[in-house]
Amino acid sequence: MDCIFCKIVEGAIPSKKVYENEHVLAFHDIQPAAAVHVLIIPKKHIPTMNDAAGEDFALIGEIHKAAQIVAKELGIADSGYRLVNNCGKDGGQVVFHIHYHLLGGEKLSALNVRD
Ligand code: 5GP
Ligand code: ZN
């Protein structure tokens, strides 16, 4: 399968890992959009939020749990952060393997819903 994030899970593409357990992996985004920009992904390949079903929702809970842990580890839990999933074309999804952006480490601008 030609999926960048599956290759990161397999270790075929290197990443700067910040957290890992049997379900999820967290690593720094290659093009950070904030002082802290970490991607949190399930190890299982699920293309978009539209494709999540059944036990996948427990995995999505694991992503939120990892976000809480990573935010604490990177020292942004108290200052606050944003956890974002882009879904599909209008959502601006570029990599079709579910991921959440954990953004923080500075005051983020108001959420822009339009360009
Ligand atoms: P999307 O727009 O799909 O929600 O976000 C994809 C994110 O993946 C982007 O923020 C992009 O910078 C990041 N990204 C794309 N390729 C790689 C890569 O090979 N390594 C890492 N660490 N991040 C990547
Ligand atoms: Zn994948």
Side-chain angles (χ1 to χ4, degrees):
M1 197 189 303
D2 202 24
C3 170
I4 294 172
F5 288 175
C6 281
K7 286 181 182 154
I8 285 177
V9 170
E10 291 159 11
I13 292 179
S15 68
K16 284 169 65 186
K17 286 182 197 177
V18 291
Y19 178 78
E20 182 173 16
N21 67 23
E22 62 175 313
H23 303 293
V24 303
L25 179 66
F27 52 94
H28 289 283
D29 196 290
I30 206 166
Q31 271 194 298
V36 172
H37 187 173
V38 169
L39 299 174
I40 309 174
I41 69 171
K43 289 187 170 178
K44 177 184 176 184
H45 181 83
I46 308 165
T48 81
M49 195 55 73
N50 287 336
D51 303 301
E55 291 180 1
D56 296 341
F57 292 106
L59 275 180
I60 289 164
E62 289 289 337
I63 290 173
H64 282 251
K65 203 158 84 183
Q68 188 194 63
I69 292 166
V70 170
K72 272 188 201 134
E73 279 183 2
L74 298 185
I76 62 167
D78 292 339
S79 49
Y81 52 87
R82 187 172 289 159
L83 191 60
V84 180
N85 168 254
N86 296 327
C87 180
K89 184 167 63 73
D90 282 357
Q93 187 176 6
V94 172
V95 177
F96 284 80
H97 177 133
I98 286 182
H99 52 279
Y100 278 71
H101 300 256
L102 175 65
L103 299 153
E106 63 184 304
K107 176 83 177 132
L108 301 173
S109 57
L111 198 57
N112 289 320
V113 293
R114 294 202 174 105
D115 278 337

